Amino acid sequence: MLTHRVLASEQGYASLQGVFQYNEAFAKKENEYIAYFVDKIEPACSAYQERKFGQMFAAFGESVPAIQAQGDKTKWAGVMDNLLKLRGLVW
């Protein structure tokens, strides 16, 4: 999907190709930032939107802090809601 121009345009990332000299840099996730967004952020956001919180934390892997109190849940919800807004997928 990253290299398909119509899909890229519809989903708001049409200019992504212009950032990289070669399509392989992002299409094959050779760039570490693209790999992180594709492998971690996008799956976590999708799981959060579907209210599948276990899958959300699994997508982030072991690098996320554990929830130890109700306040931690509130912070996570705020961060994820802001991330969804930044992605343009407010529900």
Side-chain angles (χ1 to χ4, degrees), residues 29 41 43 49:
K29 299 186 284 186
I41 300 295
Q49 282 185 297

PDB file of all heavy atoms in Angstrom, residues 29 41 43 49:
ATOM      1  N   LYS A  29      10.717  -1.476   4.246  1.00  0.00           N
ATOM      2  CA  LYS A  29      10.986  -1.073   5.628  1.00  0.00           C
ATOM      3  C   LYS A  29      12.475  -1.045   5.944  1.00  0.00           C
ATOM      4  O   LYS A  29      12.900  -1.409   7.026  1.00  0.00           O
ATOM      5  CB  LYS A  29      10.234  -1.967   6.610  1.00  0.00           C
ATOM      6  CG  LYS A  29       8.729  -1.912   6.444  1.00  0.00           C
ATOM      7  CD  LYS A  29       8.017  -2.682   7.510  1.00  0.00           C
ATOM      8  CE  LYS A  29       8.109  -4.157   7.249  1.00  0.00           C
ATOM      9  NZ  LYS A  29       7.322  -4.963   8.170  1.00  0.00           N
ATOM     10  N   ILE A  41       3.502   1.120  15.573  1.00  0.00           N
ATOM     11  CA  ILE A  41       2.497   2.170  15.773  1.00  0.00           C
ATOM     12  C   ILE A  41       1.168   1.840  15.111  1.00  0.00           C
ATOM     13  O   ILE A  41       0.112   1.924  15.744  1.00  0.00           O
ATOM     14  CB  ILE A  41       3.026   3.535  15.273  1.00  0.00           C
ATOM     15  CG1 ILE A  41       4.298   3.948  16.029  1.00  0.00           C
ATOM     16  CG2 ILE A  41       1.949   4.608  15.375  1.00  0.00           C
ATOM     17  CD1 ILE A  41       4.103   4.206  17.505  1.00  0.00           C
ATOM     18  N   PRO A  43      -0.183  -1.117  14.052  1.00  0.00           N
ATOM     19  CA  PRO A  43      -0.933  -2.204  14.700  1.00  0.00           C
ATOM     20  C   PRO A  43      -1.475  -1.807  16.073  1.00  0.00           C
ATOM     21  O   PRO A  43      -2.598  -2.182  16.436  1.00  0.00           O
ATOM     22  CB  PRO A  43       0.081  -3.339  14.816  1.00  0.00           C
ATOM     23  CG  PRO A  43       1.100  -3.063  13.779  1.00  0.00           C
ATOM     24  CD  PRO A  43       1.168  -1.561  13.671  1.00  0.00           C
ATOM     25  N   GLN A  49      -8.184   1.264  18.562  1.00  0.00           N
ATOM     26  CA  GLN A  49      -9.470   1.658  17.980  1.00  0.00           C
ATOM     27  C   GLN A  49     -10.518   0.561  18.138  1.00  0.00           C
ATOM     28  O   GLN A  49     -11.688   0.853  18.315  1.00  0.00           O
ATOM     29  CB  GLN A  49      -9.318   1.978  16.494  1.00  0.00           C
ATOM     30  CG  GLN A  49      -8.712   3.324  16.239  1.00  0.00           C
ATOM     31  CD  GLN A  49      -8.696   3.634  14.760  1.00  0.00           C
ATOM     32  OE1 GLN A  49      -8.050   2.937  13.996  1.00  0.00           O
ATOM     33  NE2 GLN A  49      -9.412   4.667  14.383  1.00  0.00           N
TER      34      GLN A  49
END
